[in-house]
Amino acid sequence: MRTTTTKLFALSVLLLCIVIFATSCGESTATAPLDSGDPEYEAQTIRIEGIRELNGGIAEISVAQLRTLPQHELDAYYMRTTGLSERFHMVGPLLSDVIAFAGGNMDDYAGLAIIGRDNYFFLFSREVLDNTPELMIAVTVDGNPRLPADSAPARTGVPGQFGPYWVRMISSIVLYEYIPQKEITSVWVFNALTDGIEPIEYEYFGSLDRAISLEQVFSRFDHVDSRAFFSMKSADGFKRDEALSLLLTQRHYIKIDGVDAPTNVSPRLMMGMNVRDIAWISTNADAAVFPYMMLEYLDTHTIRGETGVPLDEVLFAVGVHTVRAAEFELVGTGGERVRVSGELLHRAILAPISHEPNSGGRVLWLDDYGYPDIDNLLRIRLVEN
């Protein structure tokens, strides 16, 4: 087991700039914004979609118009993979003011996505929006009103949030009226779930590794709602959501071996923007876990010499809403079926079969409970009363 300090260090190397902290964010507006002096640059626009108040729901805002809104300042720093930190000063309007300028009210939506010109997509949940009122669209960085090509025309400033939230090269903002709430009813072991799916070879930083198509994974789930979001949780605690509709129409994979596995990969995803060391994934009703990776951030118990995570903690971790008051069926790959009350799941563990990232998992019970162990777990299914 890694210590908390080690886990936090691992988080610092998750992406190109993995953790960003705001050191200050002024409440008063900044001085009059600078202008790049280039009319073509100032005419660049960001598309805003899903505005209920507008006919067609679409608006655009130019860089020049962004500068006319109240400007706020943000001093921040980020840590590179080398361990060196770099500080910068950002100026721009608050995201809420940008949405208001376009004719909407950010408080009225379930969440929003910010998308870059490189197709980088990041979902901002209602919780993140509520907890980050200073979230800004920066048009000036370190006194330069003309951002470099890898940041222009604007980038987000998200105080207190991890690096992936700081989207560069913003091309569009998509507002969501409704995001289906997750109701996880089946928790699968990824290794057993994907048995029989032929992996492809995927090149990752020069190495050819095996990867499983998410489209084929979804085909084995009970029900996939295309309006929902696909979630990934890293063993170091970082969680990311993707629009499931995008994943269903484009090629996405989970790389199951090699460096950083399990990790999400896709031709549309910039290298270094992957969620590494994935512990679990979920759609709207199904989750799939990697037992070995879950040992990294959850409490563990040892039964008959094997270390694993209590079954109730597995369910809580992936977002099963009701555990102790529910009934569950444990299903093995050999056809074993064990029905048990959620109140007793803390007396059994899910232990990895091997130390491989994509290991299967076995269920081990404390000796005095009389339930049979399951050598290779397929899934834990909520039983409808």
Side-chain angles (χ1 to χ4, degrees):
M1 291 293 294
R2 290 184 288 184
T3 63
T4 300
T5 301
T6 305
K7 293 176 186 176
L8 291 175
F9 177 77
L11 183 58
S12 70
V13 297
L14 178 61
L15 300 170
L16 174 64
C17 55
I18 185 56
V19 182
I20 301 183
F21 303 89
T23 56
S24 68
C25 187
E27 295 183 359
S28 60
T29 57
T31 56
L34 298 173
D35 186 302
S36 68
D38 181 347
E40 185 175 347
Y41 181 91
E42 296 297 309
Q44 293 180 91
T45 60
I46 294 173
R47 179 184 173 98
I48 303 175
E49 304 177 20
I51 304 174
R52 69 168 70 141
E53 292 84 358
L54 297 183
N55 183 23
I58 297 174
E60 289 187 343
I61 184 169
S62 68
V63 173
Q65 289 171 323
L66 287 170
R67 298 193 201 278
T68 67
L69 301 177
Q71 302 290 292
H72 294 254
E73 299 184 70
L74 173 67
D75 289 311
Y77 75 87
Y78 65 80
M79 185 176 293
R80 292 187 176 274
T81 56
T82 59
L84 299 176
S85 63
E86 184 173 341
R87 296 180 180 275
F88 50 88
H89 181 76
M90 309 177 86
V91 177
L94 297 181
L95 178 59
S96 56
D97 288 341
V98 174
I99 302 303
F101 178 89
N105 183 340
M106 196 168 73
D107 293 338
D108 293 340
Y109 297 90
L112 59 86
I114 298 182
I115 304 170
R117 284 190 289 106
D118 55 358
N119 290 323
Y120 181 71
F121 173 104
F122 205 88
L123 173 71
F124 291 75
S125 67
R126 183 73 259 164
E127 179 183 11
V128 169
L129 296 176
D130 289 341
N131 291 334
T132 320
E134 303 90 354
L135 199 162
M136 71 157 56
I137 302 297
V139 289
T140 298
V141 177
D142 289 336
N144 189 349
R146 185 186 182 109
L147 303 188
D150 64 356
S151 294
R155 62 179 300 176
T156 55
V158 197
Q161 299 295 345
F162 293 122
Y165 287 89
W166 296 59
V167 183
R168 299 181 298 175
M169 301 183 288
I170 300 173
S171 63
S172 58
I173 300 170
V174 181
L175 300 167
Y176 293 100
E177 290 266 12
Y178 172 70
I179 298 175
Q181 296 300 305
K182 290 179 181 285
E183 294 289 344
I184 305 298
T185 56
S186 278
V187 180
W188 307 77
V189 175
F190 190 87
N191 178 278
L193 170 69
T194 58
D195 184 47
I197 295 178
E198 188 67 27
I200 68 162
E201 285 192 333
Y202 199 99
E203 184 174 355
Y204 185 80
F205 290 108
S207 174
L208 281 179
D209 303 318
R210 294 181 303 149
I212 300 289
S213 164
L214 274 177
E215 182 180 7
Q216 294 190 64
V217 172
F218 295 158
S219 72
R220 297 190 173 188
F221 282 166
D222 291 332
H223 172 66
V224 176
D225 187 337
S226 62
R227 300 170 300 169
F229 285 87
F230 176 69
S231 301
M232 296 170 281
K233 180 69 172 280
S234 172
D236 56 29
F238 172 67
K239 181 174 175 286
R240 176 175 168 178
D241 296 306
E242 284 271 11
L244 193 52
S245 57
L246 289 178
L247 271 65
L248 290 169
T249 58
Q250 301 175 356
R251 291 177 294 155
H252 286 259
Y253 306 89
I254 298 294
K255 189 173 76 73
I256 58 175
D257 59 11
V259 175
D260 299 330
T263 187
N264 65 313
V265 290
S266 169
R268 66 168 283 273
L269 185 65
M270 290 180 61
M271 297 296 284
M273 293 297 180
N274 320 81
V275 178
R276 307 174 185 181
D277 301 321
I278 295 173
W280 57 262
I281 62 175
S282 72
T283 55
N284 54 294
D286 296 84
V289 301
F290 297 87
Y292 181 70
M293 306 310 298
M294 297 195 82
L295 298 180
E296 295 291 304
Y297 81 104
L298 294 174
D299 292 336
T300 61
H301 292 169
T302 300
I303 296 177
R304 294 190 291 281
E306 296 196 45
T307 300
V309 177
L311 292 185
D312 61 340
E313 292 298 326
V314 172
L315 299 181
F316 286 132
V318 302
V320 176
H321 296 322
T322 303
V323 176
R324 294 193 173 94
E327 293 278 324
F328 295 89
E329 182 181 52
L330 313 183
V331 182
T333 58
E336 309 96 319
R337 293 180 178 272
V338 178
R339 182 162 175 162
V340 61
S341 167
E343 291 182 334
L344 302 179
L345 291 180
H346 69 290
R347 309 302 288 174
I349 61 172
L350 177 63
I353 294 173
S354 72
H355 289 181
E356 296 298 321
N358 186 35
S359 169
R362 60 169 55 97
V363 173
L364 300 173
W365 287 89
L366 290 174
D367 292 334
D368 56 347
Y369 270 75
Y371 289 103
D373 295 341
I374 297 178
D375 290 333
N376 194 357
L377 181 68
L378 174 60
R379 70 166 165 171
I380 305 172
R381 183 179 69 87
L382 178 67
V383 176
E384 298 291 342
N385 294 325

